[in-house]
Amino acid sequence: MRRISRRGLLAAGSVALASGAPQAGGESHRRPILICAANGYAYLEPAYEALKNGEDTLDAALRVVQGPENDPKDDSVGLGGLPNEEGVVELDACCMHGPTRGAGSVGGVQNIKNVSLVAKAVMNHTGHVMLVGEGAQRFALAMGFPKENLLTEHSRKIWMLWREMHSNQDWWGPGVGMPGWTPPEQAPAERRSGIERRLGRWNDVAADLGIEPEMRMDAIRKVLVPPTGTIHCSAANEKGEVSGVTTTSGLAWKIPGRVGDSPIIGAGCYTDPEVGSAGATGSGEENIKVAGAHTIIENMRHGMSPEEAGMDALKRIVRFHGNNMDEIRYIGMTYYVLRKDGAYAGVSMWGGTAERPKRFAVHDGTRRLEVCKALYQGDGIEWPPIPRLKNP
Ligand code: GLY
């Protein structure tokens, strides 16, 4: 890896800033640019146009993430996000504005869908950086954000499926002797009897709950492997100004009050006007422990490329687990890395399969999905190990 000094890095950035010239080493980067998680792809076009026409970098990034926040069909963010174990949607978000070095964050917010904008309001209208829970909701209401029920029927049904499937030792699910009732003592034998039989029974439970046939296997997968969802977006304009934002409904079925990495400045998002902006989606607990986004920015400050900087953060997670693949295979993590000169990378712990590679979205004049650079190929191993699910 070629390292350059901070002074050298900044000098290279300012040459590009003035001229748009190719970078040292022959690389040429385009600005303005937005990079984000793949679920932001559909919202990149208007955000890019606005950024090109001089809109502030944070406002352009916010345009992208508000798409999934407002979309009831995206069950990882905002309206329609998968709820906590009590069926309540709790949202987290943070943002950083490079030009002013401002930061805002909210955690565990109920009933307000655009928490990315609430994070910006915390930054602009309070002397604080982070508000959580009821106080954050009261602040949002005071700022004029509408209060609404965020639990869609789609997410409520998957939550009910989780309640009925995740335990046969509580009072959720059919009562004794009712159709579908399983005596608790039969569970171990049933476990031995094979995944197909269980899939069949879960499919029946999903049908009983009114989950549409084409959605059933996806719902079962979300119960077996609780998703973390999330969207991050970073933006750089022609002047080299940068900002970033991350927003999420967090880990599905979490304990109420659990806050992940997304609202943690330095984990879910970090922006430094001298270097660039980075953010994360994936396992929040793992990312908090390595302060992922901040680690990446510091790596770039010391001369690493965006890809090297992101890969180094992933390797740090791996080292935290003693390189134990029995643990690492359960950890999903993707970083979105944007240097202020427009160089970027999407890096992921697991690359996915040939048919479903892990991707991120970019717009630098051309909107596209790119395959992430992966530390490991494949999907990890899902827990519990299940055959690849097919819709019936
Ligand atoms: N990365 C989202 C979360 O863990 O909550």
Side-chain angles (χ1 to χ4, degrees):
M1 181 194 67
R2 188 176 65 90
R3 285 182 191 272
I4 57 175
S5 68
R6 177 179 171 194
R7 188 187 294 269
L9 178 69
L10 296 178
S14 54
V15 169
L17 189 150
S19 65
Q23 302 298 286
E27 290 174 87
S28 178
H29 312 302
R30 292 164 64 102
R31 290 189 313 227
I33 178 170
L34 292 144
I35 75 164
C36 66
N39 52 344
Y41 175 80
Y43 309 100
L44 278 172
E45 204 67 65
Y48 178 81
E49 279 309 307
L51 189 60
K52 203 169 87 176
N53 291 328
E55 185 166 73
D56 176 74
T57 45
L58 179 56
D59 290 333
L62 283 163
R63 274 181 197 269
V64 176
V65 304
Q66 277 174 81
E69 278 184 343
N70 293 334
D71 180 1
K73 293 207 185 80
D74 188 321
D75 61 21
S76 72
V77 181
L79 176 65
L82 292 174
N84 66 21
E85 66 177 13
E86 294 178 353
V88 178
V89 181
E90 289 187 329
L91 306 181
D92 304 328
C94 79
C95 65
M96 287 193 82
H97 183 237
T100 56
R101 298 172 190 264
S105 159
V106 289
V109 180
Q110 300 177 7
N111 301 316
I112 311 283
K113 73 179 171 197
N114 293 125
V115 278
S116 59
L117 293 177
V118 183
K120 182 188 170 193
V122 170
M123 177 180 85
N124 284 342
H125 296 278
T126 78
H128 307 311
V129 166
M130 187 171 199
L131 296 177
V132 300
E134 201 189 325
Q137 188 191 122
R138 287 214 299 267
F139 167 76
L141 294 174
M143 293 302 300
F145 288 88
K147 185 173 182 176
E148 51 194 305
N149 175 20
L150 303 181
L151 188 65
T152 55
E153 271 301 280
H154 167 81
S155 290
R156 186 192 64 76
K157 286 175 185 169
I158 304 178
W159 169 64
M160 284 306 300
L161 184 65
W162 174 78
R163 293 216 74 149
E164 294 208 15
M165 276 173 58
H166 88 288
S167 165
N168 61 357
Q169 315 242 330
D170 62 24
W171 295 107
W172 289 92
V176 178
M178 294 297 286
W181 176 73
T182 319
E185 64 273 17
Q186 280 185 13
E190 188 184 62
R191 264 198 290 283
R192 282 196 300 275
S193 77
I195 190 73
E196 283 78 12
R197 186 172 146 196
R198 276 187 289 155
L199 275 179
R201 188 160 69 77
W202 293 334
N203 197 64
D204 291 346
V205 176
D208 267 2
L209 288 168
I211 298 175
E212 300 80 4
E214 66 278 11
M215 303 301 295
R216 280 180 205 154
M217 285 305 165
D218 182 58
I220 292 170
R221 182 182 290 278
K222 282 173 174 150
V223 169
L224 292 173
V225 189
T228 47
T230 311
I231 177 165
H232 167 81
C233 183
S234 281
N237 65 13
E238 279 176 353
K239 292 187 278 183
E241 294 171 340
V242 283
S243 291
V245 57
T246 303
T247 177
T248 189
S249 53
L251 179 65
W253 336 127
K254 61 194 171 187
I255 295 173
R258 177 264 191 189
V259 167
D261 59 326
S262 303
I264 307 297
I265 302 286
C269 181
Y270 197 74
T271 302
D272 186 314
E274 293 179 355
V275 180
S277 182
T281 60
S283 173
E285 281 73 8
E286 301 303 326
N287 190 35
I288 290 171
K289 288 189 276 187
V290 299
H294 184 265
T295 293
I296 288 167
I297 294 297
E298 292 311 298
N299 283 344
M300 288 199 289
R301 192 195 305 282
H302 294 113
M304 288 189 197
S305 70
E307 184 180 318
E308 289 167 337
M311 283 294 186
D312 178 73
L314 292 173
K315 288 176 189 164
R316 194 173 291 214
I317 294 174
V318 172
R319 284 200 302 280
F320 269 38
H321 284 271
N323 301 308
N324 182 347
M325 294 309 290
D326 287 341
E327 298 175 15
I328 294 154
R329 62 189 177 173
Y330 300 124
I331 298 171
M333 181 60 58
T334 303
Y335 290 119
Y336 311 86
V337 190
L338 179 60
R339 204 168 62 191
K340 64 177 285 186
D341 65 2
Y344 66 90
V347 301
S348 198
M349 186 72 83
W350 293 98
T353 58
E355 315 86 65
R356 276 192 323 158
K358 185 81 194 167
R359 294 193 230 230
F360 67 108
V362 187
H363 201 325
D364 59 1
T366 311
R367 184 178 66 144
R368 58 194 180 273
L369 286 167
E370 290 192 18
V371 174
C372 294
K373 290 285 180 325
L375 194 54
Y376 301 112
Q377 294 310 317
D379 259 342
I381 291 182
E382 291 173 332
W383 185 90
I386 50 173
R388 186 155 292 288
L389 300 175
K390 288 194 173 59
N391 284 325

